[in-house]
């Protein structure tokens, strides 16, 4: 690993294990034994609201304990609550944690991987002091208020406005597809502050306090049947000027920081399919008695090949000078892998996939299949990722545009 | 175009990469490659001896055997650069395969005798052994008073028709062993074959009671398996080099060629094809870099080597062929002409895909190696795969 001496890494690993051993049970791999463990193969969180509330409480308490013991933000500057060590150790710790039976960190993904990097790169000193620590400690769930009904891929066309009002701004408009808005305390809000400027130059980014009047969060039911994302209506919502991230007018740049970081994290270790999931696919093949079936073997090998390649790419991208665009590569590989896994499971199961027989580890794959298409949109669609790679990395010409810049 | 850099190289390694790239730009231009591919020998002895002056064939040969004693990482950089320009030279046959056979399978006296010649380029050895897992050795070795003799045939021997010496795998009553054979020995005949990829020559070699000298140390079977995995990793580097060249050429063409009043690279169908090629290339590079890292780690286990090399062989082979095909397609009709370089890469890509074992075999090895779960699943039920 870059940036960490081998003995420093060994010392850290030992310290982290001590903490984990003292505070959590070691996982005897969740899926290793067929028929044991929860019969869920979730990709997007969408438990019923009561269970979700319970899970959030547990997840928050665990993050707080991790943070207070010094493992919550290893690569962060000490002034803002970090441990002042190498950022590589955050990844080392995350991987170690997956060996233990502890609550997941999905609720805090946006806080950690999207809002925090934007504040770190573009925020004022007081904003950093105010938000970074609680974002990493799990005190705050964040959501990303970017997409609008009229501005999806063309995010710079956002029309929600923020208008100067005393010491702050008044926000009006509508956001959509906002994951976790129903449980979030803060939102990263992209709003138009200058209608006369060209569209990429009239935007400004804010941290929005979600617990205030004028904000109406309405759940949107997604194709899986659950409600992971929401519509958010903003009616004269106040944001103090100190909650601005970066200068007025540079909101598009801040959004790009956020999105680059998001894509990196979507494709990276943070959401790489867990090894247990592939074990579970292997287990399914045994359960079906297809160990010697050539097409089952081939399908499993293809899943394994894609999985290993993705891991290597992520590992090596940390050692590159310009890992940025690899986030788009990683995200595309990840969403393709989800579809590959889902379709493999479906093909193996055949008509057992059509109706719930009650058998463990069979119908549960339907939820996975139904979640997979969403990952091709979230954080920028496949086509937008390909445009970024073609134009940004390969230098191919932009398309003629039909909008007024 | 700014293809993403390869991670983890030292300054010295980058320098080696630069030197070889400059050398090949001068001595392995496309006209030179086309001229050589039309010859029966298929390589230029003068260029080979210049490469030897640079120390290339002995880059990874230990100093005690006359080499430079650098790692296979350095050799992989050479392979990558050679793959970019389709270098016609006995690099894979002699510097990779033969040197590795001697180091992994050979006994001490064979190493001391044969490696210095490989390292300084004065000998060019070819290896006659089945490179595909599960293929039977078609040569038998019989002991007679005072020596051994070989009978049978070896197919698709890389650079076999021009090699100055042969390392031959043969089966005797005591199992598989490797033998050194003089290609001019009585009873030996060799024939250069018409190949899918004319830039890499293959030969059929027949042995009729040919005098041979055993060169194997202990456990030649495991040694040969290791040897193939090293070769697969080096071939993966060659494939990444070739694929990178194809992508670069296609992107340049997409910027230059105008249709409907626009560069074709502004059409998404073309643009996205190129972006997908980039994704495929970067995946291939990641698997190759890992395989080379494992090959060069001092404490590697055979199992890790097999897993990393099988993965790289699978990923880089498929990547090269799909990138070469797509690059050809981006060029339109010109890409289908003999004069255009597209088909040379297309041929090389397909032939390297099959040269050291096909995808099915690599997948089976990977499953065997995968250790997915404690409970028996596919991984545990996999048959043995060399
Ligand atoms: C599960 C999930 C979670 C999400 N969470 C959030 C969130 O928390 N916060 C948030 O702000 N947003 C979120 N989103 C929204 C997501 O970012 C958008 O869906 C996405 O950016 C696409 O926008 P759109 O849905 O308006 O589709 P459109 O932009 O209308 O796209 C429709 C189709 O046209 C294609 N297309 C559009 N433009 C181009 C082009 N230039 N070239 C080629 N093809 C093009 C697209 O690829 C797509 O296939 C989430 C989405 C999903 C599915």
């Amino acid at each position: 690993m870059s940036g960490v001496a081998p003995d420093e890494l060994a010392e850290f690993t030992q310290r982290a294990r001590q903490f984990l051993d003292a505070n959590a049970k070691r996982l005897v791999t969740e899926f290793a034994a067929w028929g044991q463990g929860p019969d869920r193969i979730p990709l997007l969180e969408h438990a019923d609201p009561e269970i979700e509330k319970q899970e959030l409480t547990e997840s928050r308490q665990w993050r707080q304990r991790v943070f207070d013991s010094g493992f919550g933000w290893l690569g962060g500057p000490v002034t803002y609550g970090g441990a002042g060590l190498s950022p590589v150790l955050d990844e080392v710790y995350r991987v170690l944690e997956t060996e233990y039976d502890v609550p997941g960190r999905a609720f805090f993904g946006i806080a950690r991987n999207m809002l925090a990097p934007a504040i770190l790169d573009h925020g004022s000193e007081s904003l950093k002091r105010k938000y970074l620590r609680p974002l990493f400690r799990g005190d705050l769930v964040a959501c990303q208020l970017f997409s609008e009904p009229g501005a999806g891929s063309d995010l710079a066309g956002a029309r929600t406005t923020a208008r100067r009002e005393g010491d702050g701004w008044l926000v009006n408009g509508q956001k959509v597809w906002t994951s976790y808005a129903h449980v979030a305390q803060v939102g990263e809000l992209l709003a138009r502050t200058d209608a006369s400027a060209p569209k990429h130059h009239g935007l400004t980014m804010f941290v929005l306090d979600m617990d205030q009047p004028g904000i109406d969060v309405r759940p949107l039911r997604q194709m899986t049947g659950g409600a992971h994302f929401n519509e958010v209506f903003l009616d004269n919502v106040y944001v103090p000027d100190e909650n601005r991230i970066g200068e007025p007018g540079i909101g598009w740049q801040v959004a790009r920081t956020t999105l680059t970081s998001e894509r990196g994290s979507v494709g990276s270790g943070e959401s790489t399919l867990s090894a247990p999931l592939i074990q579970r696919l292997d287990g399914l093949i045994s359960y079906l008695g297809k160990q010697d079936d050539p097409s089952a073997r081939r399908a499993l090998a293809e899943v394994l090949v894609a999985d290993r390649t993705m891991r290597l790419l992520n590992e090596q991208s940390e050692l590159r000078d310009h890992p940025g665009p690899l986030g788009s590569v990683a995200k595309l590989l990840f969403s393709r892998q989800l579809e590959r896994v889902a379709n493999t499971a479906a093909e193996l199961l055949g008509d057992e996939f059509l109706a719930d027989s009650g058998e463990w580890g069979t119908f549960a794959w339907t939820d996975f299949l139904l979640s997979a298409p969403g990952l091709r949109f979230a954080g920028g669609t496949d086509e937008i990722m390909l445009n970024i790679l073609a134009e940004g990395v390969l230098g191919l010409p932009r398309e003629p545009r039909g909008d007024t810049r | 175009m700014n293809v993403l850099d390869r991670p983890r190289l030292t300054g010295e390694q980058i320098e080696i990469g630069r030197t070889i790239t400059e050398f090949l730009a001068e001595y392995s231009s496309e006209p030179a490659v086309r001229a050589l591919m039309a010859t029966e020998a298929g390589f230029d002895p003068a260029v080979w001896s210049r490469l030897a002056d640079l120390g290339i064939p002995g880059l990874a040969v230990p100093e005690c055997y006359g080499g430079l004693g650098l790692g296979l990482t350095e050799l992989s950089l050479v392979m990558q650069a050679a793959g970019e320009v389709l270098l016609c030279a006995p690099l894979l046959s002699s510097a990779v395969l033969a040197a590795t056979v001697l180091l992994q399978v050979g006994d001490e006296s064979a190493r001391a005798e044969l490696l210095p010649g490989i390292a300084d380029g004065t000998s060019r050895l070819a290896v006659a052994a089945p490179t595909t897992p599960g293929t039977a050795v078609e040569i038998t070795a019989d002991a007679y008073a005072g020596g051994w003799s070989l009978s049978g045939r070896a197919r698709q021997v890389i650079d076999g028709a021009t090699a100055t010496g042969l390392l031959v795998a043969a089966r005797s009553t005591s199992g598989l062993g490797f033998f050194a054979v003089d290609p001019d020995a009585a009873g030996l005949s060799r024939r250069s074959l018409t190949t899918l990829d004319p830039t890499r020559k293959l030969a059929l070699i027949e042995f009729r009671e040919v005098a041979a000298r055993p060169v194997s140390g202990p456990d030649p079977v495991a040694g040969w398996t290791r040897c193939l995995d090293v070769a697969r990793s080096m071939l993966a580097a060659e494939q990444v080099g070739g694929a990178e060249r194809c992508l670069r050429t296609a992107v340049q063409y997409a910027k230059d060629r105008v249709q409907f009043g626009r560069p074709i690279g502004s059409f998404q169908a073309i643009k996205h094809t190129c972006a997908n090629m980039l994704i495929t290339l970067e995946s291939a590079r990641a698997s190759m870099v890992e395989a080379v890292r494992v090959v060069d780690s001092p404490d590697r286990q055979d199992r890790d080597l097999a897993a990393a090399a099988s993965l790289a062989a699978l990923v880089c082979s498929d990547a090269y062929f799909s990138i070469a095909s797509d690059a050809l397609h981006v060029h339109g009709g010109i890409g289908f002409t003999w004069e255009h370089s597209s088909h040379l890469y297309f041929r090389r890509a397909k032939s390297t895909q099959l040269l050291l074992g096909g995808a099915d075999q690599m997948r089976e090895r990977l499953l065997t190696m995968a250790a997915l779960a404690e409970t028996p699943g596919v991984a545990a039920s996999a048959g043995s795969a060399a």
Side-chain angles (χ1 to χ4, degrees), chain A residues 144 146-147 152-153 177-179 229 374 377-379 381 383-384 387, chain B residues 268:
Chain A
Q144 185 191 37
F146 284 16
S147 305
S153 299
W177 320 129
T178 320
S179 309
F229 51 30
F377 303 128
T381 68
E383 287 72 22
I384 297 301
N387 282 350
Chain B
Q268 276 195 359

Side-chain angles (χ1 to χ4, degrees), chain B:
Chain B
M1 176 179 95
N2 162 33
V3 172
L4 306 166
D5 330 316
R6 173 169 170 182
R8 276 203 195 104
L9 294 180
T10 65
E12 194 192 1
Q13 290 167 340
I14 292 170
E15 192 47 44
I16 290 176
R18 197 182 356 252
T19 308
I20 186 74
T21 302
E22 282 167 12
F23 177 90
L24 293 175
E26 187 169 351
Y27 293 103
S28 184
S29 62
E30 192 185 323
V33 168
R34 283 179 179 269
L36 288 171
M37 75 188 201
T39 64
E40 192 166 324
F43 78 103
D44 180 347
V47 172
W48 180 247
S49 89
R50 281 177 198 274
L51 276 168
D53 291 343
L54 289 176
I56 300 300
L59 217 50
V61 172
E63 283 170 295
C64 59
Y65 302 119
L68 292 182
L70 299 170
L72 286 147
T73 306
E74 284 78 5
L75 193 55
S76 77
L77 298 171
V78 173
M79 294 299 289
Q80 207 175 320
E84 273 199 48
V85 298
L86 302 172
L87 170 70
C88 298
L91 208 54
L92 182 65
S93 54
S94 191
V96 174
L97 270 166
T100 312
V101 164
L102 288 165
L103 289 167
Q104 298 294 340
V105 185
D107 61 17
E108 183 50 39
S109 73
R111 288 181 193 173
E113 185 194 327
L114 298 171
L115 279 170
I118 292 181
D120 68 17
T122 51
S123 18
R124 291 171 281 104
L125 268 50
V127 176
T131 49
T132 301
T135 310
V137 174
E138 294 178 68
I139 300 173
T140 53
D142 297 299
Y144 64 90
W148 289 81
S149 90
L150 306 187
S151 293
R153 61 176 195 160
R155 296 180 296 153
Q156 283 121 16
V157 179
I158 305 169
D159 298 327
T162 51
T164 60
L166 299 173
L167 296 171
V168 184
R171 205 160 280 292
S172 72
T173 47
S174 49
L176 179 87
F178 275 79
F179 295 82
V181 174
D182 174 358
D184 297 325
L188 187 148
S189 69
R190 45 185 181 164
R191 182 158 61 86
S192 194
L193 303 169
T194 304
T195 48
L196 168 65
D197 170 14
T199 63
R200 178 170 278 140
K201 304 293 180 187
L202 301 174
L204 173 71
I205 307 186
E206 285 178 294
F207 301 80
R208 208 164 298 129
E209 294 183 1
V210 177
R213 193 160 47 82
V215 294
S216 319
D219 203 354
V221 174
W224 174 237
T225 303
R226 273 198 301 278
C227 181
L228 279 174
D229 283 326
V230 170
R232 287 181 186 119
S233 311
M234 294 300 116
L235 189 63
E238 182 189 294
Q239 292 171 319
V240 167
E244 189 164 332
R245 169 60 65 93
C246 291
L247 172 58
R248 192 176 288 141
T249 313
V251 166
Q252 191 57 52
Y253 192 77
K255 290 176 185 174
D256 296 342
R257 169 75 174 164
V258 173
Q259 286 292 280
F260 300 96
R262 289 159 58 179
I264 56 166
S266 68
F267 300 121
Q268 276 195 359
I270 297 293
K271 179 183 280 192
H272 288 185
T273 298
C274 292
N276 277 313
M277 288 158 81
L278 176 69
I279 293 170
T280 307
L281 173 66
E282 290 308 320
S283 302
R285 193 195 310 278
S287 71
M288 178 276 284
V289 166
E290 173 66 5
V292 172
R293 186 191 70 77
V294 173
V295 163
D296 254 350
S297 13
D299 52 355
R300 62 150 202 247
Q301 305 290 312
D302 286 1
R303 188 189 170 81
D304 300 335
L305 176 63
S310 304
L311 182 73
L314 263 173
V315 176
C316 296
S317 294
D318 287 354
Y320 192 9
F321 187 64
S322 85
I323 291 173
S325 315
D326 286 343
L328 190 153
H329 186 75
V330 166
H331 283 89
I334 283 179
F336 191 64
T337 60
W338 180 265
E339 282 70 30
H340 198 267
S341 65
S342 285
H343 75 103
L344 300 180
Y345 288 91
F346 187 90
R347 288 163 180 269
R348 172 67 75 88
K350 182 48 86 183
S351 90
T352 55
Q353 199 171 24
L354 303 167
L355 194 61
L356 300 179
D360 276 347
Q361 285 137 344
M362 296 304 114
R363 276 193 288 267
E364 279 303 315
R365 293 184 92 208
L366 209 64
L367 287 176
T368 318
M369 241 66 74
L372 279 178
E374 322 289 301
T375 46
V378 165
S381 88
S384 71

Side-chain angles (χ1 to χ4, degrees), chain A residues 49 55 95 154 161 195 220 237 275 310-311 339 355 374:
Chain A
E55 286 180 345
V95 172
D154 187 13
T161 57
L220 281 172
V237 178
M310 267 163 56
R311 280 173 206 276
E339 298 202 324

